[in-house]
Amino acid sequence: MATNDTCCTIVPYFDVPDENLAQFKGLCEQFVDRTGQEEKVLYYGFSFDGNSAHCREGYVDAEGLLAHLDNVGDLLGEALKISEISRLEVHGPESELAKLRGPLADLKPSFYVLEYGFRRQ
């Protein structure tokens, strides 16, 4: 059974040096505050394992994900001055991933195609 879910998730992992961890966490608060105003965000938050940070985020569709990146682009730029992305994945159905492959190409993510499943509303 194929899915008709349009949800897209972007899965970044950041490595943050000890000396930058407090500053990075301050940026996380700003990311959360700003993202909370977006119409197409389904969930959003940061979790940590020592100096490894993960942003858990999902959007209604590709347009929502792209709107988010536009909304937080300056914050992401600040975060990347004090950390680095160690892994980046994008998950969603191919119909939505096709809209993201070009705009996200410079970030070099791994794209995972959702083929089976469901999402409760």
Side-chain angles (χ1 to χ4, degrees):
M1 177 172 78
T3 182
N4 62 1
D5 188 356
T6 61
C7 178
C8 292
T9 58
I10 187 166
V11 187
Y13 290 86
F14 299 87
D15 287 334
V16 186
D18 283 336
E19 64 272 14
N20 297 338
L21 194 56
Q23 183 181 359
F24 186 89
K25 287 185 174 185
L27 288 171
C28 291
E29 290 181 27
Q30 293 177 53
F31 274 107
V32 170
D33 287 343
R34 195 177 295 177
T35 302
Q37 307 304 313
E38 296 174 11
E39 291 182 19
K40 290 191 167 190
V41 64
L42 296 170
Y43 55 87
Y44 192 85
F46 285 86
S47 52
F48 291 83
D49 179 14
N51 290 54
S52 180
H54 166 63
C55 187
R56 181 179 174 270
E57 52 189 303
Y59 303 90
V60 170
D61 54 22
E63 288 82 7
L65 192 156
L66 292 172
H68 167 72
L69 291 176
D70 285 342
N71 184 35
V72 299
D74 61 323
L75 293 175
L76 181 58
E78 291 300 311
L80 292 176
K81 290 178 185 175
I82 60 171
S83 69
E84 65 179 38
I85 295 177
S86 59
R87 182 177 174 103
L88 181 62
E89 303 171 2
V90 180
H91 298 250
E94 182 55 42
S95 60
E96 296 300 310
L97 294 182
K99 301 170 190 174
L100 299 171
R101 291 180 191 278
L104 300 182
D106 288 347
L107 297 173
K108 297 180 175 67
S110 297
F111 288 94
Y112 289 81
V113 178
L114 176 66
E115 294 186 15
Y116 308 99
F118 66 92
R119 180 168 53 101
R120 291 197 169 108
Q121 303 298 323

